Amino acid sequence: VHLLARRLPADVRPADLQAALRAQGAAWETNDGVLYVQPSKHAPWLVVHHISDWQIRAALLPHMVPYAQLTLLILMAFFVGQYLVQRNVMQPALRVLDYLMQRMRNESVPEPDINAAWEPLVHTVTRTFDEQRQAQLAQRRSEAFKSAVVDNATFAIVTTDERGDVVEFNPAAEQMFGVPRQAVIGRAVSDVIIPPRYREAHLAGMARMQSGGPARVIG
């Protein structure tokens, strides 16, 4: 070792050589490379290999190029996929959502110019809003007609829900029973117009109707 130390390359220190000899066949990292000591099979010699960092990089670089190319292709595919998703999914979805919000505020908003894949959804949204508007208009007309008939009827009209609570009490009913409409809406009809002697039978009949039994209307 002492003789060899005088002939070592400038970038290999004697201390690194001693450590590599003690490593007994394992690689020893130096400041600028790797030392590896290998016994000879045919002579009592020890072969010392010293590989610098730049030699290691030069040897590994050709093997890393395919992996770098594959990584680059994966990144390119990722960004292209992101672009396609953004253009074909995210942007049209946001435009449909914006159209939906505008259509809720203004029924005259025109349909957005969108790619063919999203046109059925836009048409469905438009048709749904149109049908809903028509249904609401028909309901308002029906309610207005019903209110006109009920309010101007010369006979008392009292309407209840399935629980027996009053939901309609026209002016003729107010005059007949002497109770204002606002005082009876939401109250049980049995407490408003059913005489006390008939209330028990009325409540039993309501319970029978609610359970699916036959209705027997009094008067």
Side-chain angles (χ1 to χ4, degrees):
V1 173
H2 295 290
L3 295 175
L4 182 60
R6 293 195 292 268
R7 290 175 169 82
L8 288 176
D11 52 355
V12 178
R13 298 179 303 173
D16 291 329
L17 180 59
Q18 290 281 6
L21 291 172
R22 289 194 299 270
Q24 298 181 354
W28 177 263
E29 294 186 8
T30 65
N31 291 334
D32 62 344
V34 175
L35 276 175
Y36 176 72
V37 178
Q38 181 181 8
S40 174
K41 296 181 180 180
H42 307 290
W45 296 345
L46 296 176
V47 181
V48 180
H49 302 273
H50 175 253
I51 306 175
S52 63
D53 288 339
W54 70 267
Q55 289 175 315
I56 294 175
R57 288 191 293 268
L60 291 178
L61 185 60
H63 299 283
M64 296 299 295
V65 169
Y67 296 101
Q69 293 175 340
L70 180 60
T71 303
L72 182 60
L73 289 176
I74 293 175
L75 289 175
M76 290 177 61
F78 173 76
F79 287 115
V80 170
Q82 287 286 88
Y83 168 75
L84 294 176
V85 169
Q86 180 74 14
R87 188 188 68 178
N88 297 328
V89 178
M90 297 301 297
Q91 290 182 356
L94 291 175
R95 294 186 65 185
V96 171
L97 180 60
D98 181 65
Y99 170 66
L100 176 62
M101 299 299 294
Q102 292 185 34
R103 191 63 189 256
M104 292 175 63
R105 296 189 296 266
N106 183 7
E107 62 184 28
S108 63
V109 175
E111 292 185 356
D113 184 13
I114 204 167
N115 59 45
W118 289 81
E119 285 182 356
L121 178 60
V122 174
H123 296 337
T124 301
V125 170
T126 302
R127 186 171 62 253
T128 300
F129 272 99
D130 290 342
E131 291 175 353
Q132 183 182 15
R133 186 177 69 255
Q134 294 297 331
Q136 291 176 347
L137 182 59
Q139 183 180 6
R140 286 197 297 267
R141 290 175 177 172
S142 175
E143 291 177 351
F145 178 76
K146 182 192 70 174
S147 297
V149 172
V150 171
D151 292 344
N152 294 281
T154 57
F155 50 87
I157 297 178
V158 180
T159 307
T160 69
D161 58 14
E162 69 277 3
R163 296 187 304 270
D165 296 335
V166 177
V167 296
E168 184 56 62
F169 204 78
N170 73 338
E174 291 181 314
Q175 184 177 1
M176 177 179 290
F177 294 101
V179 184
R181 182 177 185 276
Q182 62 270 20
V184 300
I185 295 298
R187 292 178 57 189
V189 69
S190 58
D191 297 335
V192 177
I193 66 172
I194 303 297
R197 62 183 181 276
Y198 295 131
R199 285 178 185 171
E200 185 176 351
H202 170 78
L203 294 175
M206 290 295 297
R208 183 178 62 253
M209 290 175 56
Q210 293 171 358
S211 63
R216 290 194 294 271
V217 180
I218 301 176

